Amino acid sequence: DAGITQSPRYKITETGRQVTLMCHQTWSHSYMFWYRQDLGHGLRLIYYSAAADITDKGEVPDGYVVSRSKTENFPLTLESATRSQTSVYFCASSERGLRDTQYFGPGTRLTVL
Amino acid sequence: GQQVMQIPQYQHVQEGEDFTTYCNSSTTLSNIQWYKQRPGGHPVFLIQLVKSGEVKKQKRLTFQFGEAKKNSSLHITATQTTDVGTYFCAGPGDYKLSFGAGTTVTVRA
C-alpha cells in the first residue's frame, strides 16, 4: 500500500526555471492539498482540490499553478522559480473533506539558487 | 480569520519527565486534530477529538479537548527519545484545516 508519494524528494534548480513537483495517492481520496513548510511560518496552504478538475487557491498561491486531471495525481508547478520559493513542499490528501484528517506525503525539499 | 496558537514553541525535556503542550483557537472548533512530525519527516496524524471535554489516550500520550471546544492539550508522561519531534494541533477553519505553529520537543538523555 503506497499511500501518498511525492517526487522528486530533493530538487535543486535555478531562478527563473520551471519546476513541477509530483504527488500521487493510491487511496482515491477526493481531496488533495499542497503545503509549504518554512521555519517561522509553519504549514501554509498553497492550493487544494476537492475533486478532479476542481482546484482552488489557498493562503499563498502566487507563483504556483496546479492541475488535477486524474483523482490520484495533483502536480504543483512553479512557473518561474524564485529564491523565496526555497522550501519543503508537502502534498496531503483527505477522504472526507477540506477540514478533515489529512495524510501527508514524505515531502520534496526544493532549493532555488 | 481563525487562528490556532500553540505554546510553548519549544519544549526541552529530561528523559523520563512529563510535559504538556497547549493549543488555543480564536473560535469554537467542531474538532481538534493532533499531528506529529519527526525531524526530517512529514506530519503524521495522531488523533482527533470531537466532544467537549473529551479525553483520549495513546500509550503515554493523553489528549484533551476543552469544555468550550476552543482549546486542547497534549500531555506526555515519562518522555522517551522516541517522542522527539514537532507536535501540531489543527482545527477546521473557513475553508481549510488551520495548523498551529507546533511545539518542537527535544529530549535530554
mmCIF file of all heavy atoms in Angstrom, chain B residues 23-65:
data_model
loop_
_atom_site.group_PDB
_atom_site.id
_atom_site.type_symbol
_atom_site.label_atom_id
_atom_site.label_comp_id
_atom_site.label_asym_id
_atom_site.label_seq_id
_atom_site.Cartn_x
_atom_site.Cartn_y
_atom_site.Cartn_z
ATOM 1 N N CYS B 23 -2.858 24.081 23.044
ATOM 2 C CA CYS B 23 -3.352 24.581 21.769
ATOM 3 C C CYS B 23 -4.599 25.415 22.035
ATOM 4 O O CYS B 23 -5.511 24.957 22.728
ATOM 5 C CB CYS B 23 -3.681 23.380 20.878
ATOM 6 S SG CYS B 23 -4.422 23.775 19.295
ATOM 7 N N ASN B 24 -4.632 26.623 21.478
ATOM 8 C CA ASN B 24 -5.778 27.511 21.692
ATOM 9 C C ASN B 24 -6.276 28.065 20.369
ATOM 10 O O ASN B 24 -5.477 28.473 19.524
ATOM 11 C CB ASN B 24 -5.382 28.683 22.597
ATOM 12 C CG ASN B 24 -5.002 28.216 23.981
ATOM 13 O OD1 ASN B 24 -5.836 27.753 24.745
ATOM 14 N ND2 ASN B 24 -3.733 28.313 24.303
ATOM 15 N N SER B 25 -7.600 28.068 20.222
ATOM 16 C CA SER B 25 -8.212 28.586 18.999
ATOM 17 C C SER B 25 -8.957 29.877 19.292
ATOM 18 O O SER B 25 -9.526 30.052 20.365
ATOM 19 C CB SER B 25 -9.174 27.553 18.424
ATOM 20 O OG SER B 25 -9.951 28.101 17.378
ATOM 21 N N SER B 26 -8.989 30.753 18.295
ATOM 22 C CA SER B 26 -9.726 32.009 18.442
ATOM 23 C C SER B 26 -11.230 31.785 18.272
ATOM 24 O O SER B 26 -12.035 32.659 18.604
ATOM 25 C CB SER B 26 -9.237 33.039 17.422
ATOM 26 O OG SER B 26 -9.372 32.528 16.103
ATOM 27 N N THR B 27 -11.615 30.640 17.736
ATOM 28 C CA THR B 27 -13.033 30.331 17.542
ATOM 29 C C THR B 27 -13.343 28.931 18.079
ATOM 30 O O THR B 27 -12.445 28.124 18.288
ATOM 31 C CB THR B 27 -13.420 30.387 16.056
ATOM 32 O OG1 THR B 27 -12.631 29.421 15.351
ATOM 33 C CG2 THR B 27 -13.168 31.765 15.467
ATOM 34 N N THR B 28 -14.604 28.656 18.285
ATOM 35 C CA THR B 28 -15.035 27.322 18.716
ATOM 36 C C THR B 28 -14.811 26.329 17.579
ATOM 37 O O THR B 28 -15.073 26.637 16.408
ATOM 38 C CB THR B 28 -16.526 27.345 19.094
ATOM 39 O OG1 THR B 28 -16.722 28.296 20.143
ATOM 40 C CG2 THR B 28 -16.984 25.975 19.582
ATOM 41 N N LEU B 29 -14.315 25.165 17.922
ATOM 42 C CA LEU B 29 -13.970 24.167 16.917
ATOM 43 C C LEU B 29 -14.941 22.990 16.943
ATOM 44 O O LEU B 29 -15.392 22.562 17.995
ATOM 45 C CB LEU B 29 -12.554 23.648 17.178
ATOM 46 C CG LEU B 29 -11.439 24.677 17.150
ATOM 47 C CD1 LEU B 29 -10.140 24.073 17.656
ATOM 48 C CD2 LEU B 29 -11.243 25.220 15.747
ATOM 49 N N SER B 30 -15.207 22.443 15.773
ATOM 50 C CA SER B 30 -16.025 21.230 15.712
ATOM 51 C C SER B 30 -15.185 20.010 16.103
ATOM 52 O O SER B 30 -15.730 19.020 16.600
ATOM 53 C CB SER B 30 -16.596 21.043 14.315
ATOM 54 O OG SER B 30 -15.543 20.969 13.364
ATOM 55 N N ASN B 31 -13.900 20.099 15.855
ATOM 56 C CA ASN B 31 -12.991 19.045 16.285
ATOM 57 C C ASN B 31 -11.586 19.614 16.359
ATOM 58 O O ASN B 31 -11.319 20.717 15.855
ATOM 59 C CB ASN B 31 -13.036 17.835 15.345
ATOM 60 C CG ASN B 31 -12.441 18.111 13.988
ATOM 61 O OD1 ASN B 31 -11.224 18.166 13.821
ATOM 62 N ND2 ASN B 31 -13.293 18.300 12.988
ATOM 63 N N ILE B 32 -10.690 18.888 17.005
ATOM 64 C CA ILE B 32 -9.282 19.265 17.040
ATOM 65 C C ILE B 32 -8.481 18.025 16.677
ATOM 66 O O ILE B 32 -8.812 16.907 17.080
ATOM 67 C CB ILE B 32 -8.866 19.813 18.427
ATOM 68 C CG1 ILE B 32 -7.459 20.411 18.374
ATOM 69 C CG2 ILE B 32 -8.939 18.742 19.499
ATOM 70 C CD1 ILE B 32 -7.425 21.806 17.849
ATOM 71 N N GLN B 33 -7.469 18.230 15.854
ATOM 72 C CA GLN B 33 -6.626 17.125 15.429
ATOM 73 C C GLN B 33 -5.188 17.394 15.884
ATOM 74 O O GLN B 33 -4.768 18.543 15.982
ATOM 75 C CB GLN B 33 -6.664 16.997 13.901
ATOM 76 C CG GLN B 33 -8.058 16.740 13.359
ATOM 77 C CD GLN B 33 -8.132 16.874 11.860
ATOM 78 O OE1 GLN B 33 -7.182 16.547 11.151
ATOM 79 N NE2 GLN B 33 -9.256 17.354 11.359
ATOM 80 N N TRP B 34 -4.472 16.319 16.141
ATOM 81 C CA TRP B 34 -3.068 16.413 16.516
ATOM 82 C C TRP B 34 -2.222 15.586 15.546
ATOM 83 O O TRP B 34 -2.611 14.476 15.158
ATOM 84 C CB TRP B 34 -2.839 15.916 17.940
ATOM 85 C CG TRP B 34 -3.307 16.870 18.993
ATOM 86 C CD1 TRP B 34 -4.556 16.944 19.545
ATOM 87 C CD2 TRP B 34 -2.523 17.895 19.628
ATOM 88 N NE1 TRP B 34 -4.597 17.961 20.483
ATOM 89 C CE2 TRP B 34 -3.366 18.548 20.549
ATOM 90 C CE3 TRP B 34 -1.200 18.324 19.504
ATOM 91 C CZ2 TRP B 34 -2.924 19.604 21.352
ATOM 92 C CZ3 TRP B 34 -0.763 19.365 20.308
ATOM 93 C CH2 TRP B 34 -1.619 20.002 21.210
ATOM 94 N N TYR B 35 -1.094 16.188 15.175
ATOM 95 C CA TYR B 35 -0.155 15.551 14.265
ATOM 96 C C TYR B 35 1.236 15.602 14.884
ATOM 97 O O TYR B 35 1.553 16.506 15.656
ATOM 98 C CB TYR B 35 -0.107 16.286 12.913
ATOM 99 C CG TYR B 35 -1.385 16.223 12.117
ATOM 100 C CD1 TYR B 35 -2.487 17.010 12.460
ATOM 101 C CD2 TYR B 35 -1.495 15.401 11.009
ATOM 102 C CE1 TYR B 35 -3.667 16.958 11.721
ATOM 103 C CE2 TYR B 35 -2.668 15.337 10.259
ATOM 104 C CZ TYR B 35 -3.747 16.116 10.625
ATOM 105 O OH TYR B 35 -4.919 16.069 9.896
ATOM 106 N N LYS B 36 2.071 14.628 14.474
ATOM 107 C CA LYS B 36 3.459 14.626 14.923
ATOM 108 C C LYS B 36 4.368 14.584 13.696
ATOM 109 O O LYS B 36 4.114 13.820 12.751
ATOM 110 C CB LYS B 36 3.758 13.420 15.811
ATOM 111 C CG LYS B 36 5.217 13.348 16.253
ATOM 112 C CD LYS B 36 5.486 12.106 17.068
ATOM 113 C CE LYS B 36 6.967 12.037 17.471
ATOM 114 N NZ LYS B 36 7.260 10.808 18.264
ATOM 115 N N GLN B 37 5.414 15.400 13.740
ATOM 116 C CA GLN B 37 6.393 15.405 12.659
ATOM 117 C C GLN B 37 7.764 15.141 13.258
ATOM 118 O O GLN B 37 8.283 15.947 14.027
ATOM 119 C CB GLN B 37 6.380 16.751 11.917
ATOM 120 C CG GLN B 37 7.319 16.800 10.728
ATOM 121 C CD GLN B 37 7.216 18.125 9.970
ATOM 122 O OE1 GLN B 37 6.745 19.126 10.497
ATOM 123 N NE2 GLN B 37 7.652 18.141 8.715
ATOM 124 N N ARG B 38 8.345 14.007 12.904
ATOM 125 C CA ARG B 38 9.702 13.702 13.356
ATOM 126 C C ARG B 38 10.693 14.559 12.580
ATOM 127 O O ARG B 38 10.399 14.993 11.458
ATOM 128 C CB ARG B 38 10.016 12.229 13.141
ATOM 129 C CG ARG B 38 9.154 11.287 13.968
ATOM 130 C CD ARG B 38 9.579 9.846 13.759
ATOM 131 N NE ARG B 38 8.694 8.925 14.431
ATOM 132 C CZ ARG B 38 8.822 8.557 15.700
ATOM 133 N NH1 ARG B 38 9.811 9.060 16.420
ATOM 134 N NH2 ARG B 38 7.979 7.717 16.242
ATOM 135 N N PRO B 39 11.874 14.813 13.133
ATOM 136 C CA PRO B 39 12.875 15.603 12.405
ATOM 137 C C PRO B 39 13.164 15.012 11.026
ATOM 138 O O PRO B 39 13.431 13.818 10.894
ATOM 139 C CB PRO B 39 14.106 15.504 13.317
ATOM 140 C CG PRO B 39 13.549 15.285 14.681
ATOM 141 C CD PRO B 39 12.327 14.430 14.487
ATOM 142 N N GLY B 40 13.046 15.844 9.994
ATOM 143 C CA GLY B 40 13.279 15.387 8.627
ATOM 144 C C GLY B 40 12.115 14.618 8.033
ATOM 145 O O GLY B 40 12.209 14.161 6.890
ATOM 146 N N GLY B 41 11.032 14.479 8.765
ATOM 147 C CA GLY B 41 9.897 13.704 8.288
ATOM 148 C C GLY B 41 8.713 14.556 7.901
ATOM 149 O O GLY B 41 8.844 15.767 7.704
ATOM 150 N N HIS B 42 7.574 13.898 7.789
ATOM 151 C CA HIS B 42 6.366 14.593 7.403
ATOM 152 C C HIS B 42 5.337 14.504 8.534
ATOM 153 O O HIS B 42 5.428 13.615 9.378
ATOM 154 C CB HIS B 42 5.789 13.980 6.124
ATOM 155 C CG HIS B 42 5.466 12.521 6.239
ATOM 156 N ND1 HIS B 42 6.416 11.541 6.113
ATOM 157 C CD2 HIS B 42 4.299 11.886 6.468
ATOM 158 C CE1 HIS B 42 5.853 10.358 6.255
ATOM 159 N NE2 HIS B 42 4.572 10.536 6.477
ATOM 160 N N PRO B 43 4.373 15.412 8.580
ATOM 161 C CA PRO B 43 3.343 15.337 9.632
ATOM 162 C C PRO B 43 2.555 14.037 9.516
ATOM 163 O O PRO B 43 2.148 13.635 8.424
ATOM 164 C CB PRO B 43 2.457 16.553 9.339
ATOM 165 C CG PRO B 43 3.333 17.493 8.579
ATOM 166 C CD PRO B 43 4.205 16.609 7.737
ATOM 167 N N VAL B 44 2.324 13.422 10.660
ATOM 168 C CA VAL B 44 1.568 12.177 10.728
ATOM 169 C C VAL B 44 0.408 12.363 11.695
ATOM 170 O O VAL B 44 0.596 12.821 12.817
ATOM 171 C CB VAL B 44 2.453 11.007 11.207
ATOM 172 C CG1 VAL B 44 1.625 9.742 11.395
ATOM 173 C CG2 VAL B 44 3.584 10.756 10.217
ATOM 174 N N PHE B 45 -0.778 12.028 11.242
ATOM 175 C CA PHE B 45 -1.975 12.169 12.061
ATOM 176 C C PHE B 45 -1.884 11.280 13.293
ATOM 177 O O PHE B 45 -1.525 10.099 13.200
ATOM 178 C CB PHE B 45 -3.201 11.791 11.231
ATOM 179 C CG PHE B 45 -4.478 11.709 12.012
ATOM 180 C CD1 PHE B 45 -5.111 12.860 12.446
ATOM 181 C CD2 PHE B 45 -5.043 10.480 12.318
ATOM 182 C CE1 PHE B 45 -6.294 12.801 13.156
ATOM 183 C CE2 PHE B 45 -6.225 10.399 13.026
ATOM 184 C CZ PHE B 45 -6.852 11.558 13.453
ATOM 185 N N LEU B 46 -2.180 11.867 14.456
ATOM 186 C CA LEU B 46 -2.186 11.095 15.694
ATOM 187 C C LEU B 46 -3.600 10.786 16.158
ATOM 188 O O LEU B 46 -3.930 9.627 16.440
ATOM 189 C CB LEU B 46 -1.476 11.877 16.816
ATOM 190 C CG LEU B 46 0.032 12.084 16.671
ATOM 191 C CD1 LEU B 46 0.549 12.938 17.833
ATOM 192 C CD2 LEU B 46 0.761 10.755 16.604
ATOM 193 N N ILE B 47 -4.432 11.829 16.249
ATOM 194 C CA ILE B 47 -5.729 11.624 16.885
ATOM 195 C C ILE B 47 -6.658 12.792 16.565
ATOM 196 O O ILE B 47 -6.198 13.881 16.235
ATOM 197 C CB ILE B 47 -5.559 11.482 18.405
ATOM 198 C CG1 ILE B 47 -6.680 10.666 19.023
ATOM 199 C CG2 ILE B 47 -5.404 12.853 19.072
ATOM 200 C CD1 ILE B 47 -6.333 10.116 20.391
ATOM 201 N N GLN B 48 -7.959 12.550 16.670
ATOM 202 C CA GLN B 48 -8.968 13.596 16.529
ATOM 203 C C GLN B 48 -9.893 13.554 17.739
ATOM 204 O O GLN B 48 -10.337 12.478 18.144
ATOM 205 C CB GLN B 48 -9.770 13.397 15.239
ATOM 206 C CG GLN B 48 -10.885 14.417 15.060
ATOM 207 C CD GLN B 48 -11.596 14.285 13.732
ATOM 208 O OE1 GLN B 48 -11.136 14.805 12.721
ATOM 209 N NE2 GLN B 48 -12.702 13.576 13.719
ATOM 210 N N LEU B 49 -10.177 14.722 18.293
ATOM 211 C CA LEU B 49 -11.120 14.857 19.393
ATOM 212 C C LEU B 49 -12.321 15.641 18.898
ATOM 213 O O LEU B 49 -12.160 16.626 18.182
ATOM 214 C CB LEU B 49 -10.465 15.578 20.581
ATOM 215 C CG LEU B 49 -9.160 14.970 21.089
ATOM 216 C CD1 LEU B 49 -8.531 15.885 22.128
ATOM 217 C CD2 LEU B 49 -9.400 13.593 21.671
ATOM 218 N N VAL B 50 -13.509 15.200 19.284
ATOM 219 C CA VAL B 50 -14.721 15.808 18.755
ATOM 220 C C VAL B 50 -15.627 16.376 19.853
ATOM 221 O O VAL B 50 -16.221 17.427 19.692
ATOM 222 C CB VAL B 50 -15.509 14.774 17.914
ATOM 223 C CG1 VAL B 50 -16.802 15.376 17.403
ATOM 224 C CG2 VAL B 50 -14.673 14.263 16.759
ATOM 225 N N LYS B 51 -15.708 15.694 20.967
ATOM 226 C CA LYS B 51 -16.670 16.070 22.008
ATOM 227 C C LYS B 51 -16.065 17.017 23.032
ATOM 228 O O LYS B 51 -14.886 16.929 23.366
ATOM 229 C CB LYS B 51 -17.162 14.821 22.730
ATOM 230 C CG LYS B 51 -17.878 13.830 21.827
ATOM 231 C CD LYS B 51 -18.266 12.591 22.604
ATOM 232 C CE LYS B 51 -18.932 11.565 21.707
ATOM 233 N NZ LYS B 51 -19.247 10.317 22.433
ATOM 234 N N SER B 52 -16.880 17.887 23.542
ATOM 235 C CA SER B 52 -16.482 18.798 24.605
ATOM 236 C C SER B 52 -15.980 18.002 25.815
ATOM 237 O O SER B 52 -16.653 17.065 26.255
ATOM 238 C CB SER B 52 -17.689 19.654 25.008
ATOM 239 O OG SER B 52 -17.421 20.373 26.179
ATOM 240 N N GLY B 53 -14.788 18.338 26.303
ATOM 241 C CA GLY B 53 -14.236 17.662 27.464
ATOM 242 C C GLY B 53 -13.661 16.289 27.190
ATOM 243 O O GLY B 53 -13.219 15.595 28.112
ATOM 244 N N GLU B 54 -13.613 15.904 25.945
ATOM 245 C CA GLU B 54 -13.152 14.559 25.594
ATOM 246 C C GLU B 54 -11.688 14.355 25.948
ATOM 247 O O GLU B 54 -10.874 15.251 25.786
ATOM 248 C CB GLU B 54 -13.353 14.313 24.098
ATOM 249 C CG GLU B 54 -13.071 12.888 23.640
ATOM 250 C CD GLU B 54 -13.482 12.647 22.195
ATOM 251 O OE1 GLU B 54 -13.747 13.624 21.482
ATOM 252 O OE2 GLU B 54 -13.517 11.473 21.792
ATOM 253 N N VAL B 55 -11.384 13.164 26.443
ATOM 254 C CA VAL B 55 -10.017 12.769 26.764
ATOM 255 C C VAL B 55 -9.732 11.439 26.079
ATOM 256 O O VAL B 55 -10.522 10.505 26.177
ATOM 257 C CB VAL B 55 -9.810 12.618 28.286
ATOM 258 C CG1 VAL B 55 -8.388 12.145 28.578
ATOM 259 C CG2 VAL B 55 -10.092 13.925 29.013
ATOM 260 N N LYS B 56 -8.619 11.403 25.373
ATOM 261 C CA LYS B 56 -8.198 10.161 24.722
ATOM 262 C C LYS B 56 -6.746 9.883 25.048
ATOM 263 O O LYS B 56 -5.949 10.820 25.160
ATOM 264 C CB LYS B 56 -8.380 10.242 23.204
ATOM 265 C CG LYS B 56 -9.820 10.165 22.733
ATOM 266 C CD LYS B 56 -9.880 10.053 21.216
ATOM 267 C CE LYS B 56 -11.288 9.890 20.715
ATOM 268 N NZ LYS B 56 -11.355 9.768 19.229
ATOM 269 N N LYS B 57 -6.420 8.605 25.173
ATOM 270 C CA LYS B 57 -5.049 8.231 25.480
ATOM 271 C C LYS B 57 -4.490 7.327 24.400
ATOM 272 O O LYS B 57 -5.182 6.460 23.855
ATOM 273 C CB LYS B 57 -4.984 7.520 26.835
ATOM 274 C CG LYS B 57 -5.298 8.403 28.018
ATOM 275 C CD LYS B 57 -5.035 7.706 29.331
ATOM 276 C CE LYS B 57 -5.273 8.656 30.497
ATOM 277 N NZ LYS B 57 -4.946 8.040 31.813
ATOM 278 N N GLN B 58 -3.213 7.549 24.118
ATOM 279 C CA GLN B 58 -2.456 6.660 23.260
ATOM 280 C C GLN B 58 -1.167 6.366 24.020
ATOM 281 O O GLN B 58 -0.242 7.162 24.023
ATOM 282 C CB GLN B 58 -2.131 7.316 21.914
ATOM 283 C CG GLN B 58 -3.277 7.447 20.966
ATOM 284 C CD GLN B 58 -2.853 8.059 19.642
ATOM 285 O OE1 GLN B 58 -1.736 8.558 19.483
ATOM 286 N NE2 GLN B 58 -3.741 8.020 18.664
ATOM 287 N N LYS B 59 -1.148 5.228 24.693
ATOM 288 C CA LYS B 59 0.021 4.824 25.486
ATOM 289 C C LYS B 59 0.381 5.948 26.466
ATOM 290 O O LYS B 59 -0.379 6.252 27.371
ATOM 291 C CB LYS B 59 1.192 4.471 24.579
ATOM 292 C CG LYS B 59 0.891 3.268 23.684
ATOM 293 C CD LYS B 59 2.093 2.877 22.850
ATOM 294 C CE LYS B 59 1.756 1.685 21.983
ATOM 295 N NZ LYS B 59 2.895 1.276 21.109
ATOM 296 N N ARG B 60 1.511 6.592 26.309
ATOM 297 C CA ARG B 60 1.939 7.640 27.235
ATOM 298 C C ARG B 60 1.421 9.033 26.865
ATOM 299 O O ARG B 60 1.714 10.006 27.559
ATOM 300 C CB ARG B 60 3.466 7.661 27.299
ATOM 301 C CG ARG B 60 4.084 6.385 27.867
ATOM 302 C CD ARG B 60 5.616 6.446 27.820
ATOM 303 N NE ARG B 60 6.075 6.466 26.431
ATOM 304 C CZ ARG B 60 6.472 7.538 25.805
ATOM 305 N NH1 ARG B 60 6.487 8.718 26.420
ATOM 306 N NH2 ARG B 60 6.877 7.466 24.557
ATOM 307 N N LEU B 61 0.662 9.136 25.794
ATOM 308 C CA LEU B 61 0.142 10.421 25.337
ATOM 309 C C LEU B 61 -1.321 10.553 25.737
ATOM 310 O O LEU B 61 -2.124 9.651 25.485
ATOM 311 C CB LEU B 61 0.262 10.544 23.812
ATOM 312 C CG LEU B 61 1.601 10.983 23.225
ATOM 313 C CD1 LEU B 61 2.726 10.026 23.577
ATOM 314 C CD2 LEU B 61 1.479 11.160 21.730
ATOM 315 N N THR B 62 -1.662 11.673 26.362
ATOM 316 C CA THR B 62 -3.046 11.956 26.746
ATOM 317 C C THR B 62 -3.472 13.252 26.082
ATOM 318 O O THR B 62 -2.827 14.295 26.256
ATOM 319 C CB THR B 62 -3.198 12.076 28.267
ATOM 320 O OG1 THR B 62 -2.790 10.856 28.886
ATOM 321 C CG2 THR B 62 -4.657 12.354 28.639
ATOM 322 N N PHE B 63 -4.556 13.180 25.331
ATOM 323 C CA PHE B 63 -5.094 14.324 24.607
ATOM 324 C C PHE B 63 -6.409 14.742 25.250
ATOM 325 O O PHE B 63 -7.241 13.900 25.602
ATOM 326 C CB PHE B 63 -5.355 13.960 23.141
ATOM 327 C CG PHE B 63 -4.155 13.457 22.405
ATOM 328 C CD1 PHE B 63 -3.800 12.121 22.480
ATOM 329 C CD2 PHE B 63 -3.394 14.310 21.628
ATOM 330 C CE1 PHE B 63 -2.702 11.637 21.798
ATOM 331 C CE2 PHE B 63 -2.290 13.837 20.926
ATOM 332 C CZ PHE B 63 -1.950 12.505 21.018
ATOM 333 N N GLN B 64 -6.592 16.065 25.366
ATOM 334 C CA GLN B 64 -7.825 16.568 25.953
ATOM 335 C C GLN B 64 -8.380 17.704 25.128
ATOM 336 O O GLN B 64 -7.632 18.559 24.637
ATOM 337 C CB GLN B 64 -7.579 17.035 27.389
ATOM 338 C CG GLN B 64 -8.831 17.443 28.138
ATOM 339 C CD GLN B 64 -8.605 17.574 29.631
ATOM 340 O OE1 GLN B 64 -7.491 17.471 30.119
ATOM 341 N NE2 GLN B 64 -9.676 17.798 30.374
ATOM 342 N N PHE B 65 -9.699 17.730 24.977
ATOM 343 C CA PHE B 65 -10.412 18.805 24.288
ATOM 344 C C PHE B 65 -11.152 19.601 25.352
ATOM 345 O O PHE B 65 -11.851 19.039 26.186
ATOM 346 C CB PHE B 65 -11.407 18.210 23.304
ATOM 347 C CG PHE B 65 -11.833 19.123 22.180
ATOM 348 C CD1 PHE B 65 -11.259 20.365 21.975
ATOM 349 C CD2 PHE B 65 -12.825 18.708 21.299
ATOM 350 C CE1 PHE B 65 -11.646 21.180 20.927
ATOM 351 C CE2 PHE B 65 -13.222 19.517 20.245
ATOM 352 C CZ PHE B 65 -12.635 20.751 20.056
#
